[in-house]
Structures are given as structure tokens and as C-alpha cells.
Amino acid sequence: MAIIKCPECRREISDKAPLCPGCGVEIADKIQICRNCGEAFFISDGKCNCSENTGNIMPDTSSDAIRQDNNKLKSAEGNNKTKGKRSGINYKTWLFSFIIACVICAGVLAMYNRSVNERETEEYTFALQSNDTLIVKNYLNTFTNAPVNHIDKAKKHLDKLMLREQQWQNVLISKSRQALVDYIDEYPDSKYVAEANNMIDSIDWRKATGENTIIAYETYLTLHEDGEYTDEAMKRIDKLQALIVTPEEEVMIANLFKKFLGAISNRDKETLTSTVADIMPSFIGKQNATKADAILFMEKLYKIDILSISWVPVGEYTIEKNEVGRNAYEYIVDFHSVMDITRINFTKERFARFNISAKVSPDGLITEMVLKKQKISSQ
């Protein structure tokens, strides 16, 4: 390998180089070194144009010499044309390459710009559909060169969201059910709607439990079919409904006290003791009274001058029902009664009116009783 000068542009290159990096002509296997001057020339040129061939030699005027000169001129003209064509081809190649490069760059730039624009459009659409202020702020901070109308709309949307945030804070401070309802009506798509509904649910539940009535719990269920406390509300309704005294229970209570008062009227110890529990926490002033105490009470009513007693209930019974165990209920009873007394001495009291308050156990026996005598006119 030798360093030569390119026959075309005179740039120093390797004689093994495929192309001249300066002008682009082919080098390898296309050149030859002149023995006279040591310079490279194209093999297609036939010979080097050094001084050996073009020196100060008198021209030969013979016909053969003239023909040779003409042939040389034609050869030189052909060589010049070949060189010109080679230079034109090199220039066209470079120009074509440059144009291709520009087209590629323009295509890449266009694809990049299109990608950026598509992303901006997607982020813009998402920001306008979002109720999160952070998402809108992120769009504005990221796409500072977005279209003016996009930026304006995004800013207006952000202002609305900021107003929502402030109003929500006001609602939280007020803790008002109506304020929560108004907020949901005004901003049905707010991200706080679920939280607001939960707060309303809790407020309505507190109200229902405060009233603790079937109507209150049914009202809660009407307002909150899928509320957090729906199951509990239904359980409490069942429990309260179980505390409602049924017609059958009213008959049972009425018969019990008719039997109790009738037993005293008839001085029937056996029937009397069948109406009271074995142990009564409180029975007409006696603590932990027994059936024997009930008999003693009856005997005390019959004084020396009393011939007979007719003791009957009057008016309606007031009955409350309390759960004291699983499906076991205690009854609190209040009613009035009148005692008709037959005496030896007609000048003494013949009628007495009593208010009776009592408790009845789940097995239908009297466990407590309080008598309160009321004044009535003598007849």
C-alpha cells in the first residue's frame, strides 16, 4: 500500500482506497503509477500527462505524425469528457444523498411533532374529564407550549375544581346534612360524592338510633336502600316488632289478672298461688316474696267486719314488652281496678279503687306488684 495523490482532486490517499474521500472517484484497481514522474493516473486515460509526453519536442509534420497528433487530441478530449462525467456523477451522488438525508430528518421531525401533539391532545382531554386538581396542574406544567385554547380551558377547569375544593371544606366544617345534600346536587360528578353520601348515611343512622322506633328505622331504609347500616336497621325493626304486644298476649295478660283478682274475691288459695311466681322480687311491699306471702296478703284483706270482696279490673291495660332472653319476653303491666266490699257495718268504706302496676314473667306468672289506692266517692 502506497500513499498517492488523487488524479482528480490531488488529495493524498491510499492507492488501495476504494474511493477518494475528497471527490468520490474510484481508486483501487483504477489507477497506475507513472514511471517517469511517479504520479498516479487513471488506467482509462492510457498514460500520464507528465513532461515526458508533453515536453518541448519539435512537432513532427509528417502525415503519420499528424494522424498521431489527431489521435492524441481525440484521446485527450475523450479523457476530459470522462473526467467531466465522473465529476458530474460524484456531485449528483452527493446532492442525492443530501436530499435523502433532509427528507429523512424532516420525516423524523414530523413524526416526533405528531407524537408530541397526539400526547398533548390525550393529556388535555384527560385533564378536562378529571376532577383531580393535581392532574390538571400536571397538564399545565408539562405542556407549556400547548395551544392557547387548550391552556385557557384547562385553567378554567382548574378554577372550577379549586372552587369545588373550597366548598367541600366548608361542608366538612358545617357538618350539616343539608349542606352535604346541596353539594351533591351541585356537583354530582365530584370525587367527594361517595364520601358525602357516607356522611349522610351516618347522620341518618344516628337519628334513627336516637329515636329507636320502627318508623325511624324504616325511614332510614327508605333513604338508604344500600346503606352501611341496612342490615342492622332490619334487625332492629325485627326486634322492635317482637316487642309489640300481640292481641294474643293482651288476652293472656288480661286473663292472668282477672284470675288473680278473682282468686282473692273467692278466697281461693290454690288459684291465687297459681298466678304468682315462686319467688317475687317485690310483691306489695314485700321483698323476695313467696306464694305464702300472696296468701297472707289475701287473708289480711278480709277483716273481721268484711263479709265478701269483689275485686275486678276496669278500663284498658297498658302493656310494655321487654326482651329478657332469646325469644323470651317480660311484660310490664299497668291497669285500674275496683274493689266492692260487703261489710257488717254499712257505714264503713264499701268501695276502693286501686292502680295496679305489675310485672309478668315469660312463663306468664306475676313477679312484681305494686298497689296504689285512689280516692273515690262513697256510694
mmCIF file of all heavy atoms in Angstrom, residues 27 45 63 76 126 160 181 226 231 249-250 310 319 329 337 341:
data_model
loop_
_atom_site.group_PDB
_atom_site.id
_atom_site.type_symbol
_atom_site.label_atom_id
_atom_site.label_comp_id
_atom_site.label_asym_id
_atom_site.label_seq_id
_atom_site.Cartn_x
_atom_site.Cartn_y
_atom_site.Cartn_z
ATOM 1 N N ILE A 27 -10.682 4.477 -6.881
ATOM 2 C CA ILE A 27 -9.211 4.494 -6.833
ATOM 3 C C ILE A 27 -8.671 3.086 -7.041
ATOM 4 O O ILE A 27 -7.888 2.825 -7.974
ATOM 5 C CB ILE A 27 -8.724 5.079 -5.500
ATOM 6 C CG1 ILE A 27 -9.178 6.543 -5.378
ATOM 7 C CG2 ILE A 27 -7.193 4.981 -5.397
ATOM 8 C CD1 ILE A 27 -8.632 7.456 -6.438
ATOM 9 N N ASP A 45 -7.157 6.548 -18.794
ATOM 10 C CA ASP A 45 -6.559 7.644 -19.554
ATOM 11 C C ASP A 45 -5.470 7.136 -20.512
ATOM 12 O O ASP A 45 -5.053 7.842 -21.436
ATOM 13 C CB ASP A 45 -5.961 8.681 -18.601
ATOM 14 C CG ASP A 45 -7.050 9.422 -17.832
ATOM 15 O OD1 ASP A 45 -8.222 9.346 -18.269
ATOM 16 O OD2 ASP A 45 -6.748 10.066 -16.808
ATOM 17 N N SER A 63 2.663 13.063 -42.257
ATOM 18 C CA SER A 63 1.247 12.670 -42.183
ATOM 19 C C SER A 63 0.995 11.716 -41.055
ATOM 20 O O SER A 63 -0.042 11.788 -40.372
ATOM 21 C CB SER A 63 0.827 12.035 -43.535
ATOM 22 O OG SER A 63 1.631 10.885 -43.797
ATOM 23 N N ALA A 76 -7.360 12.836 -25.759
ATOM 24 C CA ALA A 76 -7.384 13.815 -24.654
ATOM 25 C C ALA A 76 -8.784 14.335 -24.440
ATOM 26 O O ALA A 76 -9.261 14.505 -23.312
ATOM 27 C CB ALA A 76 -6.415 14.971 -24.957
ATOM 28 N N PHE A 126 -57.916 14.167 28.897
ATOM 29 C CA PHE A 126 -57.979 13.519 30.211
ATOM 30 C C PHE A 126 -58.082 14.549 31.332
ATOM 31 O O PHE A 126 -58.825 14.353 32.302
ATOM 32 C CB PHE A 126 -56.737 12.650 30.396
ATOM 33 C CG PHE A 126 -56.695 11.912 31.696
ATOM 34 C CD1 PHE A 126 -57.628 10.919 31.967
ATOM 35 C CD2 PHE A 126 -55.743 12.203 32.649
ATOM 36 C CE1 PHE A 126 -57.601 10.224 33.166
ATOM 37 C CE2 PHE A 126 -55.711 11.525 33.857
ATOM 38 C CZ PHE A 126 -56.638 10.531 34.109
ATOM 39 N N LYS A 160 -62.602 25.901 38.481
ATOM 40 C CA LYS A 160 -63.843 25.282 38.952
ATOM 41 C C LYS A 160 -63.560 24.210 39.996
ATOM 42 O O LYS A 160 -64.258 24.103 41.009
ATOM 43 C CB LYS A 160 -64.602 24.671 37.774
ATOM 44 C CG LYS A 160 -65.194 25.699 36.811
ATOM 45 C CD LYS A 160 -65.944 25.007 35.685
ATOM 46 C CE LYS A 160 -66.552 26.029 34.718
ATOM 47 N NZ LYS A 160 -67.278 25.365 33.600
ATOM 48 N N VAL A 181 -76.205 17.422 51.097
ATOM 49 C CA VAL A 181 -77.161 17.173 50.007
ATOM 50 C C VAL A 181 -77.013 18.237 48.922
ATOM 51 O O VAL A 181 -76.998 17.921 47.721
ATOM 52 C CB VAL A 181 -78.600 17.151 50.548
ATOM 53 C CG1 VAL A 181 -79.607 17.088 49.404
ATOM 54 C CG2 VAL A 181 -78.797 15.969 51.488
ATOM 55 N N ASP A 226 -79.142 0.772 50.145
ATOM 56 C CA ASP A 226 -77.867 0.060 50.192
ATOM 57 C C ASP A 226 -76.929 0.702 51.206
ATOM 58 O O ASP A 226 -75.701 0.692 51.043
ATOM 59 C CB ASP A 226 -77.203 0.057 48.806
ATOM 60 C CG ASP A 226 -78.054 -0.645 47.763
ATOM 61 O OD1 ASP A 226 -78.634 -1.681 48.109
ATOM 62 O OD2 ASP A 226 -78.148 -0.149 46.622
ATOM 63 N N ASP A 231 -78.525 -3.718 57.165
ATOM 64 C CA ASP A 231 -78.755 -4.990 57.857
ATOM 65 C C ASP A 231 -79.102 -4.758 59.322
ATOM 66 O O ASP A 231 -80.012 -5.397 59.862
ATOM 67 C CB ASP A 231 -77.523 -5.882 57.741
ATOM 68 C CG ASP A 231 -77.277 -6.355 56.320
ATOM 69 O OD1 ASP A 231 -78.226 -6.297 55.515
ATOM 70 O OD2 ASP A 231 -76.141 -6.751 56.012
ATOM 71 N N GLU A 249 -101.256 -11.887 73.301
ATOM 72 C CA GLU A 249 -100.577 -11.555 74.558
ATOM 73 C C GLU A 249 -101.448 -10.660 75.434
ATOM 74 O O GLU A 249 -101.442 -10.790 76.672
ATOM 75 C CB GLU A 249 -99.237 -10.878 74.253
ATOM 76 C CG GLU A 249 -98.211 -11.832 73.652
ATOM 77 C CD GLU A 249 -96.974 -11.132 73.145
ATOM 78 O OE1 GLU A 249 -97.115 -10.001 72.598
ATOM 79 O OE2 GLU A 249 -95.878 -11.685 73.279
ATOM 80 N N GLU A 250 -102.180 -9.758 74.825
ATOM 81 C CA GLU A 250 -103.092 -8.912 75.593
ATOM 82 C C GLU A 250 -104.156 -9.759 76.298
ATOM 83 O O GLU A 250 -104.484 -9.520 77.474
ATOM 84 C CB GLU A 250 -103.767 -7.898 74.665
ATOM 85 C CG GLU A 250 -102.830 -6.829 74.140
ATOM 86 C CD GLU A 250 -103.530 -5.867 73.204
ATOM 87 O OE1 GLU A 250 -104.686 -6.161 72.813
ATOM 88 O OE2 GLU A 250 -102.929 -4.843 72.855
ATOM 89 N N SER A 310 -115.428 -8.249 96.057
ATOM 90 C CA SER A 310 -115.470 -8.472 94.605
ATOM 91 C C SER A 310 -114.487 -7.497 93.969
ATOM 92 O O SER A 310 -114.740 -6.288 93.930
ATOM 93 C CB SER A 310 -116.882 -8.253 94.062
ATOM 94 O OG SER A 310 -116.885 -8.389 92.662
ATOM 95 N N ILE A 319 -99.540 -2.180 78.446
ATOM 96 C CA ILE A 319 -98.581 -3.288 78.481
ATOM 97 C C ILE A 319 -97.328 -2.916 77.684
ATOM 98 O O ILE A 319 -97.410 -2.496 76.529
ATOM 99 C CB ILE A 319 -99.191 -4.577 77.892
ATOM 100 C CG1 ILE A 319 -100.518 -4.905 78.593
ATOM 101 C CG2 ILE A 319 -98.213 -5.747 78.009
ATOM 102 C CD1 ILE A 319 -101.259 -6.054 77.944
ATOM 103 N N TYR A 329 -89.696 -12.890 76.748
ATOM 104 C CA TYR A 329 -90.138 -11.518 76.971
ATOM 105 C C TYR A 329 -90.818 -11.376 78.328
ATOM 106 O O TYR A 329 -91.559 -12.252 78.786
ATOM 107 C CB TYR A 329 -91.104 -11.098 75.859
ATOM 108 C CG TYR A 329 -90.471 -11.190 74.492
ATOM 109 C CD1 TYR A 329 -90.644 -12.330 73.706
ATOM 110 C CD2 TYR A 329 -89.678 -10.156 74.009
ATOM 111 C CE1 TYR A 329 -90.051 -12.428 72.464
ATOM 112 C CE2 TYR A 329 -89.081 -10.255 72.767
ATOM 113 C CZ TYR A 329 -89.262 -11.388 71.995
ATOM 114 O OH TYR A 329 -88.668 -11.493 70.766
ATOM 115 N N SER A 337 -108.306 -0.981 88.931
ATOM 116 C CA SER A 337 -109.229 -1.996 89.439
ATOM 117 C C SER A 337 -110.153 -1.378 90.503
ATOM 118 O O SER A 337 -109.808 -0.369 91.126
ATOM 119 C CB SER A 337 -108.457 -3.172 90.049
ATOM 120 O OG SER A 337 -107.740 -2.734 91.200
ATOM 121 N N ILE A 341 -116.735 -3.980 98.470
ATOM 122 C CA ILE A 341 -116.617 -4.619 99.782
ATOM 123 C C ILE A 341 -117.994 -4.702 100.458
ATOM 124 O O ILE A 341 -118.702 -3.698 100.563
ATOM 125 C CB ILE A 341 -115.648 -3.828 100.682
ATOM 126 C CG1 ILE A 341 -114.306 -3.619 99.961
ATOM 127 C CG2 ILE A 341 -115.452 -4.537 102.020
ATOM 128 C CD1 ILE A 341 -113.387 -2.647 100.654
#
